[in-house]
Amino acid sequence: MTFPDPDRMLGCLLGGAIGDALGAPIEGRPIAEIRAKHGAAGLTEYSDARVRAGAVTDDTQMTLFTAEALIQASIRERSKGIGGAAPGLLQAAYLQWLRTQGEEFPDQDFGGGWLFAQPEMHERRGPGKTCLSALHTIAARRRPYVPVGGIEEPINDSKGCGGVMRAAPAGFPFSPRVPGGVADCRRAAFAMGATSAALTHGHPSGYLSAGVLAATVWGLLRGADLADALDAARTVLESYAGHEETSASLDAAVALARDGAALTPERLETLGGGWTGEEALAIGVCAALAVRDGAPADVVRRALRLAVNHSGDSDSTGSICGNLLGARYGTAALPGHWQAGVELRRVIVQIAADAALEFGPDAPTDPTTDDVPMSWHTRA
Ligand SMILES: [Mg+2]
């Protein structure tokens, strides 16, 4: 199968949101404090300690804006036959997100479709400093669709995890028309993930980690298992300048995952705190790889608990782990009460349905004019 599996796309978005919501209340809390408060096993269920039980953070909000921008880019490409609009649309989408955080910046037409119109998106949820500062720099130019930062022209030297945490949907598009096109499509997914992150994060570890997540998700949505999808993404990673730090982190994650059930938070923390792109990726990957035995739902439950119970950036590492596991196993493996209780579920389901339509084998065209209707995604 070359098209992305619709249920795995939904799983990727929902799984990310669930991991984000699970980790949010313990973001940055020392593991000793987590154990003292929640018991020896750490935090195992949603907690209302931060906003309310099941509340997501900026990771999920920005991931949804990534998804919507890529859907719009795909519609535009089919409609006008010209590609290349994605980076500008992504940048404009992140400005929409900036506005949802209540940030003031110069008036400009940064678009805004269905997602921006949803009231529950307009909640300030611990936005990352680098994302805020980079997007204010971008907003000051007043050219929302002209990318300021890119891999060739870094906007700053940040390697924070704000790039990778929102990049999973870059693995949705790029379905090969011929079997030999698989490698090119995987590379395209990697490049799109890296490009989306480089809009705000200029250090290679900040954007290459995003490329790895996107390319891995790309493989998972098309039926690969996690180790194989990761291996293939790792190969693409090596072709980029400045990949060494991200490659080393990934290798350390794969090696540590061999601990399996014996993997402790203290061991997990040898990968870092998850505050940077390559560390967040490593922790998310390690937790996803370490839990192997059992039914998928049990694997997901244990892996997500592992991914958030450490002293670092628990919501981002949970989000990345959830993206991977949801893309690997689909929604049936995501515990029902976590799905039901996660914030933005209605919005996530709609965006995933839109992605399934646009990136699937029967993307909408107007039956009377044969045009690709930009209108199908402008309901509001
Ligand atoms: Mg967050």
Side-chain angles (χ1 to χ4, degrees), residues 211-267:
V212 172
L213 180 63
T216 306
V217 164
W218 186 92
L220 295 173
L221 296 176
R222 289 156 180 86
D225 91 351
L226 182 55
D228 291 343
L230 206 53
D231 264 357
R234 169 82 166 73
T235 303
V236 181
L237 170 65
E238 281 178 22
S239 68
Y240 279 82
H243 73 89
E244 292 78 6
E245 188 171 57
T246 304
S247 293
S249 281
L250 214 46
D251 293 346
V254 171
L256 189 60
R258 295 195 192 105
D259 273 18
L263 183 57
T264 60
E266 284 77 6
R267 294 270 291 157

Side-chain angles (χ1 to χ4, degrees), residues 110-125:
F110 51 70
W114 182 83
L115 190 58
F116 186 72
Q118 304 312 300
E120 59 265 60
M121 292 299 295
H122 293 252
E123 294 271 357
R124 189 175 176 96
R125 290 293 165 76

Side-chain angles (χ1 to χ4, degrees), residues 73-153:
S74 174
I75 296 171
R76 182 170 305 205
E77 188 171 343
R78 289 195 301 118
S79 169
K80 301 185 175 164
I82 29 175
L89 286 164
L90 284 162
Q91 181 176 278
Y94 298 147
L95 288 176
Q96 293 164 33
W97 168 80
L98 185 66
R99 186 52 57 80
T100 68
Q101 300 306 289
E103 294 283 314
E104 290 299 322
F105 56 87
D107 270 342
Q108 53 203 294
D109 179 12
F110 51 70
W114 182 83
L115 190 58
F116 186 72
Q118 304 312 300
E120 59 265 60
M121 292 299 295
H122 293 252
E123 294 271 357
R124 189 175 176 96
R125 290 293 165 76
K129 284 197 187 77
T130 298
C131 287
L132 291 180
S133 65
L135 288 168
H136 276 295
T137 300
I138 291 162
R141 305 269 179 107
R142 294 188 185 231
R143 298 174 75 192
Y145 295 95
V146 180
V148 176
I151 293 172
E152 303 302 328
E153 286 177 82

Side-chain angles (χ1 to χ4, degrees), residues 17-376:
I18 288 169
D20 183 16
L22 191 65
I26 50 174
E27 178 186 16
R29 308 318 306 167
I31 187 63
E33 183 189 312
I34 296 171
R35 286 182 179 129
K37 191 166 176 196
H38 301 285
L43 183 66
T44 57
E45 295 294 339
Y46 292 155
S47 155
D48 59 6
R50 183 157 155 183
V51 178
R52 60 179 175 272
V56 299
T57 79
D58 54 335
D59 302 43
T60 298
Q61 294 172 332
M62 296 192 84
T63 297
L64 289 168
F65 277 107
T66 300
E68 194 187 51
L70 293 176
I71 291 166
Q72 290 168 343
S74 174
I75 296 171
R76 182 170 305 205
E77 188 171 343
R78 289 195 301 118
S79 169
K80 301 185 175 164
I82 29 175
L89 286 164
L90 284 162
Q91 181 176 278
Y94 298 147
L95 288 176
Q96 293 164 33
W97 168 80
L98 185 66
R99 186 52 57 80
T100 68
Q101 300 306 289
E103 294 283 314
E104 290 299 322
F105 56 87
D107 270 342
Q108 53 203 294
D109 179 12
F110 51 70
W114 182 83
L115 190 58
F116 186 72
Q118 304 312 300
E120 59 265 60
M121 292 299 295
H122 293 252
E123 294 271 357
R124 189 175 176 96
R125 290 293 165 76
K129 284 197 187 77
T130 298
C131 287
L132 291 180
S133 65
L135 288 168
H136 276 295
T137 300
I138 291 162
R141 305 269 179 107
R142 294 188 185 231
R143 298 174 75 192
Y145 295 95
V146 180
V148 176
I151 293 172
E152 303 302 328
E153 286 177 82
I155 189 168
N156 53 34
D157 193 36
S158 174
K159 58 172 175 171
C161 70
V164 61
M165 76 183 194
R166 65 177 190 241
F172 292 4
F174 312 113
S175 294
R177 292 187 178 85
V178 293
V182 165
D184 285 347
C185 287
R186 194 191 315 276
R187 286 195 65 86
F190 189 108
M192 186 61 78
T195 299
S196 70
L199 291 167
T200 54
H201 290 69
H203 189 287
S205 300
Y207 59 77
L208 294 179
S209 51
V212 172
L213 180 63
T216 306
V217 164
W218 186 92
L220 295 173
L221 296 176
R222 289 156 180 86
D225 91 351
L226 182 55
D228 291 343
L230 206 53
D231 264 357
R234 169 82 166 73
T235 303
V236 181
L237 170 65
E238 281 178 22
S239 68
Y240 279 82
H243 73 89
E244 292 78 6
E245 188 171 57
T246 304
S247 293
S249 281
L250 214 46
D251 293 346
V254 171
L256 189 60
R258 295 195 192 105
D259 273 18
L263 183 57
T264 60
E266 284 77 6
R267 294 270 291 157
L268 199 57
E269 286 171 11
T270 62
L271 297 173
W275 304 106
T276 60
E278 83 285 5
E279 290 179 4
L281 176 71
I283 293 173
V285 161
C286 182
L289 281 174
V291 183
R292 286 181 291 266
D293 304 323
D298 191 45
V299 167
V300 169
R301 188 182 296 111
R302 287 185 292 142
L304 284 179
R305 286 171 180 164
L306 194 55
V308 303
N309 278 292
H310 55 79
S311 308
D313 192 351
S314 301
D315 56 320
S316 296
T317 56
S319 169
I320 291 166
C321 183
N323 288 146
L324 293 169
L325 293 172
R328 166 70 180 84
Y329 294 110
T331 55
L334 303 175
H337 69 292
W338 284 353
Q339 290 194 48
V342 76
E343 187 186 26
L344 299 182
R345 180 167 173 271
R346 180 188 69 87
V347 176
I348 290 166
V349 167
Q350 181 64 62
I351 291 290
D354 293 347
L357 204 50
E358 180 58 32
F359 300 130
D362 194 24
T365 51
D366 187 321
T368 54
T369 62
D370 226 25
D371 284 343
V372 177
M374 296 298 289
S375 60
W376 84 258

